[in-house]
């Protein structure tokens, strides 16, 4: 019996509650610049966005080549917290690294 069938074999449509909305998600975008060292960008992606070495390198190179790249898709609260920490770490090291947050 399919999960949307009752014991008499009647198929019921799944109910969609209009009050239940999908959570809004936000993209964290990494922007290229000419000054931040590649290894520092990779370090930031590993330290603040929990990326492994391979995916941190791919995200860094994508931004280096294309001007920007997608780091992660997160709730606004988490996106803001991680981005703020990453950018203040970059400023502490005097690099102009930039990231932005966009609604998905
Ligand atoms: N373009 C930088 C360089 O050549 C490296 C870099 C990559 C900087 C990605 C920022 O988001 C960035 N040193």
């Amino acid at each position: 019996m399919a999960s949307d069938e009752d014991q008499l074999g009647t198929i019921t449509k799944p109910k969609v509650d209009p009050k239940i909305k999908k959570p809004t998600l936000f993209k964290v975008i990494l922007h290229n610049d000419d000054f931040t060292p590649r290894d520092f960008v990779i370090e930031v992606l590993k330290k603040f966005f929990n990326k492994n070495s391979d995916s941190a390198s791919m995200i860094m190179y994508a931004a280096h080549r294309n001007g920007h790249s997608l780091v992660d898709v997160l709730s606004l609260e988490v996106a803001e917290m991680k981005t703020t920490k990453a950018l203040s770490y970059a400023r502490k090291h005097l690099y102009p690294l930039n990231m932005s947050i966009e609604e998905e």
Side-chain angles (χ1 to χ4, degrees):
M1 186 167 64
S3 62
D4 56 355
E5 231 176 278
D6 66 15
Q7 288 182 338
L8 300 170
T10 313
I11 296 177
T12 52
K13 270 208 219 155
K15 291 194 182 75
V16 178
D17 185 336
K19 291 191 298 295
I20 298 175
K21 288 210 213 97
K22 273 199 287 178
T24 315
L25 292 175
F26 291 80
K27 296 189 280 196
V28 176
I29 310 288
L30 172 69
H31 298 276
N32 187 37
D33 67 73
D34 292 337
F35 303 100
T36 309
R38 295 175 193 194
D39 284 347
F40 185 82
V41 181
I42 292 170
E43 181 193 337
V44 165
L45 294 171
K46 288 163 81 171
K47 200 175 173 75
F48 297 100
F49 292 90
N50 306 317
K51 301 296 178 186
N52 62 33
S53 297
D54 283 355
S55 85
S57 299
M58 285 194 321
I59 294 165
M60 183 281 292
Y61 273 114
H64 180 72
R65 276 195 303 268
N66 307 324
H68 54 87
S69 67
L70 178 65
V71 176
D72 216 339
V73 178
L74 301 163
S75 71
L76 183 58
E77 198 184 9
V78 176
E80 284 178 339
M81 190 196 64
K82 291 188 174 191
T83 302
T84 301
K85 286 184 181 174
L87 295 185
S88 61
Y89 184 73
R91 295 301 165 269
K92 195 174 92 182
H93 290 267
L94 304 177
Y95 292 127
L97 185 68
N98 198 19
M99 291 178 185
S100 59
I101 297 171
E102 273 179 25
E103 193 172 334
E104 217 192 13

